Each structure stands twice: as C-alpha cells, then as structure tokens.
Amino acid sequence: MSIKMISPPVPNMPWEEKPDGQKNAPVWRYTQNPIIDRNPIENVARIFNSAVMPYQGAFIGVFRAEQTDGVPHIYLGRSKDGLEWVFDSEKIPFVDEDGNPAMPVYAYDPRLVMVEDIYYIIWCQDFYGASIGLAQTTDFKTFTRMESPFIPFNRNAVLFPRRINGKYMMLSRPSDSGHTPFGDIFLSESPDMVYWGKHRHVMSRGPTWWEALKIGGGAAPIETSEGWLMFYHGVTGTCNGYVYSIGGAILDLEQPSKVLYRCANFLLTPEDWYEERGFVPNVCFPCATIHDSDSGRIAIYYGAADSYVGVAFCQLEEIVEYIKKYNKLSDIDTSLGKR
Ligand code: BMA
C-alpha cells in the first residue's frame, strides 16, 4: 500500500468484501444492515447516530438512544465483533469533577475519541441552548463531565485523535437553536481541553448540490500519509425536507483548517429502506469509523433515518483515489480559515 494509515492495527474489525458491480463511490453497505433494530432495550425506541471504537480486543460504543419519552440520552454498548451490540440498561451516569451526579438535560449525536489514553465523549446538549457537551473516562465506569467548550449554538463536534502542534483540536458546526438551514465546519484548538480558541474556518457548505445547505463533522478524522481523512455529513434542502449524505475530504496534517482534497460527489446517500424510511426519512449521518492500518480497511458507522445504525465499508487507497479524482476545492476551503 502506498497510502499509509497512521493508527494501530485492528485485525478483528468488521468487514465484508466489495460486491461485484459497485457503481459510483467505492463505499458499500454491510449486507445485514441495519445492525440495531427499533426498541433495542427497555424504554428506548430507537438507537442511531452513534460512535464506536476498539477496546480491549473487542469494541465499545456510545449510542444515541431516543427514549420512549422522546428525550435522547447516551447509552454504553459493547460488542465482540463490532456488529452485534449489547447495551447497558441505564443511560451513562455522568458525574461532575467531585463525583456527584451531573446528567445533561438531553444528549445526542455522541462521538467517542481516544487522545493519549483518555476516552472523550463529545455530544450535543443543552447549555442554555444547543451546544457541545464533553466528558472523559479511562475505564468506561466513571464518566466525568468537563467544561462546555463553546457557548450556544453549536453541534456536530468531534475531536482529532491526537494533539497537533501540542494542541487538542476540535471540529464543530456553529448553528442555530432549531433545524439550522445553514452551516460550515470550523476548527478550534485548546492547550488543556478547557480553554478553546484560535478558531478557524475549515470548509463551506456547497458548492455541489448534495451539500448545498449545510455540512457538519462526522467521524473522528483518520490520520493518513495523505492528510486527515474526514467523513462528514452534507445536507441538501428539497421540497420534501432535508436529505443527509456522507461526504469525504482530506485535511492538511499540520494545519487541518486547510482542505487538501474535497470530493464533489457524495460517498453515500440514502438509498436503502432503512435510510429512506424512518423517524426522519433520508438521513445518512456518520459518527465514527473503525479502521485497520495493516489492511487499509475502514468501516463507517452511520445513523440511518434517525432510527437505525448502519455500517458501510471502504478501503483507504480506493477512497482516497476517489476523493482526489473528483476533487473540487474553493479558495475558502484551501485557505487557513482566518479573517
Ligand atoms: C440534525 C441532528 C441529527 C439528525 C438530523 C436529521 O439536526 O439533530 O441528530 O440526525 O438532524 O434529523
């Protein structure tokens, strides 16, 4: 392989070979999708938009669980193969720094990222308006809330898996208090995971139509020899509502507010029944990947129609080539993102 993934090998990651006759982007769905059905546990109606990662030879994840009262919270799940998941019966019991219970009012679209042996959960929560929640754990038993990185309104935050030039890096999408008919991806840095600043603009919505309305961070970027491979979501507005697709871009390794390549085509768009039909139809919403540096295999975990979790596969070299082949950048994307 000429393109390298700079991360540990995960030889037991879930995988299915590319089917014959694959057209368009080299991303293919797991044949047993969706991997999580409706009403997966008591008091939870749907699990979607969730993040997973390797842990102690198996897999662990934080799951957006829409409870039967309609309020989303985060539940922990474990899996031997990354496909069949067993969930805790209660939501994650967050505590504050003194160990006292500190539950968010609601919590949705969690991401899970390890930086220097600490696992961080990043999600959207109420902070007198929708904003970003942050917590850390080292053992998946005690989950300690941290300071909110940003004031409202903000969504779709995800951390980079390592510091860059000594700083923690977080992507996010400033928004409004509702369903946000606009939105670009921004980058913020922190020396300590408490104070966030040096904000930079990364990417604008559009120019191509599938992502014309808004874009937002998805999975934690994957470090590769070509740059940070980022799977994100892009939204188009139709006369029948928003449609969420998965896009791909490659960011500069040392200055990730600079976009090196950005694919003009979507990589995955709602096509199958569990993506087109559900609580919110036509949503493919990526939140995590599991990837193996030895084989270059990547499994993308995405929420489908705000009702299910789906998995799609791709191969590093093929996906990078596809992103480069259909690369279309604006001056705003390639600049440092500072005005
Ligand atoms: C966004 C978020 C996502 C959701 C999407 C489609 O604003 O709330 O959680 O998947 O809308 O409903």
Side-chain angles (χ1 to χ4, degrees), residues 48-49 64 108-109 155-156 173 178-180 214 233 242 244 280 283 285 306:
F48 54 100
N49 300 4
R64 170 175 176 165
Y108 64 77
D109 298 355
R155 291 197 184 102
N156 303 306
R173 211 281 307 287
H179 295 297
T180 315
K214 58 177 169 175
H233 71 258
Y242 293 175
Y244 284 69
V280 179
V283 181
F285 195 91
D306 287 12

mmCIF file of all heavy atoms in Angstrom, residues 48-49 64 108-109 155-156 173 178-180 214 233 242 244 280 283 285 306, ligand 1:
data_model
loop_
_atom_site.group_PDB
_atom_site.id
_atom_site.type_symbol
_atom_site.label_atom_id
_atom_site.label_comp_id
_atom_site.label_asym_id
_atom_site.label_seq_id
_atom_site.Cartn_x
_atom_site.Cartn_y
_atom_site.Cartn_z
ATOM 1 N N PHE A 48 -29.457 5.424 17.039
ATOM 2 C CA PHE A 48 -28.880 5.867 15.759
ATOM 3 C C PHE A 48 -27.761 6.855 16.071
ATOM 4 O O PHE A 48 -27.405 7.021 17.253
ATOM 5 C CB PHE A 48 -29.972 6.471 14.862
ATOM 6 C CG PHE A 48 -30.785 7.596 15.490
ATOM 7 C CD1 PHE A 48 -30.512 8.926 15.197
ATOM 8 C CD2 PHE A 48 -31.819 7.321 16.363
ATOM 9 C CE1 PHE A 48 -31.251 9.960 15.745
ATOM 10 C CE2 PHE A 48 -32.566 8.354 16.935
ATOM 11 C CZ PHE A 48 -32.275 9.675 16.627
ATOM 12 N N ASN A 49 -27.161 7.468 15.067
ATOM 13 C CA ASN A 49 -26.109 8.489 15.235
ATOM 14 C C ASN A 49 -25.203 8.183 16.442
ATOM 15 O O ASN A 49 -25.192 8.904 17.444
ATOM 16 C CB ASN A 49 -26.731 9.876 15.402
ATOM 17 C CG ASN A 49 -27.574 10.286 14.214
ATOM 18 O OD1 ASN A 49 -27.763 9.516 13.289
ATOM 19 N ND2 ASN A 49 -28.091 11.501 14.228
ATOM 20 N N ARG A 64 -26.582 7.036 20.722
ATOM 21 C CA ARG A 64 -27.705 7.959 20.875
ATOM 22 C C ARG A 64 -28.980 7.124 20.978
ATOM 23 O O ARG A 64 -29.384 6.471 20.010
ATOM 24 C CB ARG A 64 -27.830 8.899 19.681
ATOM 25 C CG ARG A 64 -29.129 9.685 19.741
ATOM 26 C CD ARG A 64 -29.244 10.702 18.644
ATOM 27 N NE ARG A 64 -30.538 11.362 18.696
ATOM 28 C CZ ARG A 64 -30.839 12.484 18.063
ATOM 29 N NH1 ARG A 64 -29.929 13.080 17.344
ATOM 30 N NH2 ARG A 64 -32.030 13.018 18.155
ATOM 31 N N TYR A 108 -27.281 14.109 22.551
ATOM 32 C CA TYR A 108 -27.429 13.389 21.280
ATOM 33 C C TYR A 108 -26.199 13.469 20.403
ATOM 34 O O TYR A 108 -25.279 14.231 20.654
ATOM 35 C CB TYR A 108 -28.704 13.799 20.549
ATOM 36 C CG TYR A 108 -28.853 15.227 20.076
ATOM 37 C CD1 TYR A 108 -28.200 15.679 18.933
ATOM 38 C CD2 TYR A 108 -29.713 16.094 20.707
ATOM 39 C CE1 TYR A 108 -28.399 16.962 18.446
ATOM 40 C CE2 TYR A 108 -29.918 17.378 20.238
ATOM 41 C CZ TYR A 108 -29.253 17.818 19.105
ATOM 42 O OH TYR A 108 -29.448 19.082 18.637
ATOM 43 N N ASP A 109 -26.172 12.606 19.396
ATOM 44 C CA ASP A 109 -25.106 12.518 18.398
ATOM 45 C C ASP A 109 -23.707 12.425 19.033
ATOM 46 O O ASP A 109 -22.805 13.222 18.715
ATOM 47 C CB ASP A 109 -25.178 13.712 17.430
ATOM 48 C CG ASP A 109 -26.488 13.734 16.659
ATOM 49 O OD1 ASP A 109 -27.293 12.787 16.800
ATOM 50 O OD2 ASP A 109 -26.735 14.709 15.930
ATOM 51 N N ARG A 155 -23.181 22.433 17.106
ATOM 52 C CA ARG A 155 -23.471 20.996 17.000
ATOM 53 C C ARG A 155 -22.349 20.278 16.244
ATOM 54 O O ARG A 155 -21.480 20.915 15.674
ATOM 55 C CB ARG A 155 -24.773 20.766 16.232
ATOM 56 C CG ARG A 155 -26.000 21.207 16.970
ATOM 57 C CD ARG A 155 -27.239 20.589 16.357
ATOM 58 N NE ARG A 155 -28.407 21.110 17.032
ATOM 59 C CZ ARG A 155 -29.200 22.061 16.540
ATOM 60 N NH1 ARG A 155 -28.952 22.565 15.366
ATOM 61 N NH2 ARG A 155 -30.217 22.489 17.219
ATOM 62 N N ASN A 156 -22.425 18.975 16.242
ATOM 63 C CA ASN A 156 -21.529 18.147 15.410
ATOM 64 C C ASN A 156 -20.053 18.339 15.749
ATOM 65 O O ASN A 156 -19.229 18.564 14.866
ATOM 66 C CB ASN A 156 -21.719 18.442 13.918
ATOM 67 C CG ASN A 156 -23.131 18.240 13.482
ATOM 68 O OD1 ASN A 156 -23.695 17.180 13.706
ATOM 69 N ND2 ASN A 156 -23.734 19.256 12.908
ATOM 70 N N ARG A 173 -19.664 22.694 14.369
ATOM 71 C CA ARG A 173 -20.516 23.376 13.401
ATOM 72 C C ARG A 173 -21.445 24.354 14.136
ATOM 73 O O ARG A 173 -22.470 23.953 14.689
ATOM 74 C CB ARG A 173 -21.332 22.335 12.653
ATOM 75 C CG ARG A 173 -21.689 22.663 11.232
ATOM 76 C CD ARG A 173 -22.848 23.613 11.064
ATOM 77 N NE ARG A 173 -24.031 23.172 11.784
ATOM 78 C CZ ARG A 173 -24.803 22.155 11.437
ATOM 79 N NH1 ARG A 173 -24.537 21.451 10.385
ATOM 80 N NH2 ARG A 173 -25.851 21.837 12.168
ATOM 81 N N GLY A 178 -32.624 25.769 16.140
ATOM 82 C CA GLY A 178 -33.608 24.877 15.529
ATOM 83 C C GLY A 178 -32.964 23.889 14.577
ATOM 84 O O GLY A 178 -31.950 23.282 14.924
ATOM 85 N N HIS A 179 -33.536 23.774 13.390
ATOM 86 C CA HIS A 179 -33.023 22.776 12.457
ATOM 87 C C HIS A 179 -32.016 23.364 11.472
ATOM 88 O O HIS A 179 -31.679 22.756 10.471
ATOM 89 C CB HIS A 179 -34.181 22.066 11.753
ATOM 90 C CG HIS A 179 -35.017 21.272 12.717
ATOM 91 N ND1 HIS A 179 -34.509 20.214 13.435
ATOM 92 C CD2 HIS A 179 -36.308 21.419 13.129
ATOM 93 C CE1 HIS A 179 -35.446 19.722 14.220
ATOM 94 N NE2 HIS A 179 -36.548 20.439 14.072
ATOM 95 N N THR A 180 -31.519 24.546 11.783
ATOM 96 C CA THR A 180 -30.326 25.161 11.189
ATOM 97 C C THR A 180 -30.221 25.033 9.665
ATOM 98 O O THR A 180 -29.604 24.103 9.148
ATOM 99 C CB THR A 180 -29.034 24.608 11.852
ATOM 100 O OG1 THR A 180 -29.205 24.593 13.249
ATOM 101 C CG2 THR A 180 -27.838 25.461 11.511
ATOM 102 N N LYS A 214 -25.965 22.739 4.279
ATOM 103 C CA LYS A 214 -25.071 22.771 5.447
ATOM 104 C C LYS A 214 -24.233 21.514 5.467
ATOM 105 O O LYS A 214 -24.588 20.494 4.856
ATOM 106 C CB LYS A 214 -25.857 22.892 6.748
ATOM 107 C CG LYS A 214 -26.871 21.792 6.994
ATOM 108 C CD LYS A 214 -27.551 21.967 8.344
ATOM 109 C CE LYS A 214 -28.746 21.055 8.508
ATOM 110 N NZ LYS A 214 -29.339 21.115 9.843
ATOM 111 N N HIS A 233 -20.993 14.937 7.152
ATOM 112 C CA HIS A 233 -22.308 14.903 6.517
ATOM 113 C C HIS A 233 -22.565 16.218 5.778
ATOM 114 O O HIS A 233 -22.118 17.280 6.189
ATOM 115 C CB HIS A 233 -23.433 14.589 7.522
ATOM 116 C CG HIS A 233 -23.730 15.686 8.487
ATOM 117 N ND1 HIS A 233 -23.296 15.670 9.793
ATOM 118 C CD2 HIS A 233 -24.440 16.827 8.353
ATOM 119 C CE1 HIS A 233 -23.718 16.763 10.406
ATOM 120 N NE2 HIS A 233 -24.428 17.489 9.560
ATOM 121 N N TYR A 242 -35.020 17.946 4.391
ATOM 122 C CA TYR A 242 -33.569 17.805 4.280
ATOM 123 C C TYR A 242 -33.185 16.377 3.881
ATOM 124 O O TYR A 242 -33.838 15.420 4.307
ATOM 125 C CB TYR A 242 -32.902 18.105 5.628
ATOM 126 C CG TYR A 242 -32.985 19.534 6.113
ATOM 127 C CD1 TYR A 242 -32.490 19.868 7.372
ATOM 128 C CD2 TYR A 242 -33.524 20.544 5.329
ATOM 129 C CE1 TYR A 242 -32.537 21.172 7.844
ATOM 130 C CE2 TYR A 242 -33.574 21.854 5.789
ATOM 131 C CZ TYR A 242 -33.083 22.159 7.047
ATOM 132 O OH TYR A 242 -33.129 23.444 7.503
ATOM 133 N N TYR A 244 -29.671 14.018 4.113
ATOM 134 C CA TYR A 244 -28.311 13.936 4.668
ATOM 135 C C TYR A 244 -27.521 12.844 3.971
ATOM 136 O O TYR A 244 -27.912 11.673 4.000
ATOM 137 C CB TYR A 244 -28.374 13.584 6.164
ATOM 138 C CG TYR A 244 -28.776 14.714 7.063
ATOM 139 C CD1 TYR A 244 -30.072 15.219 7.051
ATOM 140 C CD2 TYR A 244 -27.859 15.258 7.964
ATOM 141 C CE1 TYR A 244 -30.438 16.252 7.898
ATOM 142 C CE2 TYR A 244 -28.224 16.295 8.818
ATOM 143 C CZ TYR A 244 -29.511 16.788 8.781
ATOM 144 O OH TYR A 244 -29.872 17.804 9.620
ATOM 145 N N VAL A 280 -37.029 10.177 10.819
ATOM 146 C CA VAL A 280 -36.716 11.284 9.892
ATOM 147 C C VAL A 280 -36.169 10.644 8.613
ATOM 148 O O VAL A 280 -35.047 10.140 8.606
ATOM 149 C CB VAL A 280 -35.687 12.266 10.492
ATOM 150 C CG1 VAL A 280 -35.365 13.381 9.497
ATOM 151 C CG2 VAL A 280 -36.191 12.854 11.800
ATOM 152 N N VAL A 283 -31.788 10.130 5.860
ATOM 153 C CA VAL A 283 -30.639 10.575 6.652
ATOM 154 C C VAL A 283 -29.581 9.476 6.696
ATOM 155 O O VAL A 283 -29.852 8.359 7.117
ATOM 156 C CB VAL A 283 -31.039 10.931 8.100
ATOM 157 C CG1 VAL A 283 -29.812 11.410 8.880
ATOM 158 C CG2 VAL A 283 -32.136 11.985 8.138
ATOM 159 N N PHE A 285 -25.939 9.620 8.515
ATOM 160 C CA PHE A 285 -25.282 10.559 9.425
ATOM 161 C C PHE A 285 -24.084 9.855 10.077
ATOM 162 O O PHE A 285 -24.226 9.138 11.062
ATOM 163 C CB PHE A 285 -26.312 10.990 10.474
ATOM 164 C CG PHE A 285 -25.941 12.196 11.280
ATOM 165 C CD1 PHE A 285 -26.314 13.474 10.880
ATOM 166 C CD2 PHE A 285 -25.240 12.060 12.477
ATOM 167 C CE1 PHE A 285 -25.985 14.589 11.645
ATOM 168 C CE2 PHE A 285 -24.906 13.170 13.241
ATOM 169 C CZ PHE A 285 -25.285 14.434 12.824
ATOM 170 N N ASP A 306 -32.653 8.538 11.408
ATOM 171 C CA ASP A 306 -32.881 8.798 12.842
ATOM 172 C C ASP A 306 -33.597 7.623 13.505
ATOM 173 O O ASP A 306 -34.370 7.788 14.457
ATOM 174 C CB ASP A 306 -33.687 10.093 13.047
ATOM 175 C CG ASP A 306 -32.848 11.342 12.781
ATOM 176 O OD1 ASP A 306 -31.732 11.202 12.224
ATOM 177 O OD2 ASP A 306 -33.298 12.451 13.122
HETATM 178 C C1 BMA B 1 -29.724 17.081 12.815
HETATM 179 C C2 BMA B 1 -29.352 16.375 14.086
HETATM 180 C C3 BMA B 1 -29.183 14.894 13.842
HETATM 181 C C4 BMA B 1 -30.270 14.304 12.994
HETATM 182 C C5 BMA B 1 -30.566 15.170 11.802
HETATM 183 C C6 BMA B 1 -31.734 14.668 10.967
HETATM 184 O O1 BMA B 1 -30.045 18.429 13.065
HETATM 185 O O2 BMA B 1 -30.341 16.583 15.031
HETATM 186 O O3 BMA B 1 -29.212 14.257 15.087
HETATM 187 O O4 BMA B 1 -29.887 13.026 12.569
HETATM 188 O O5 BMA B 1 -30.830 16.482 12.207
HETATM 189 O O6 BMA B 1 -32.908 14.679 11.719
#
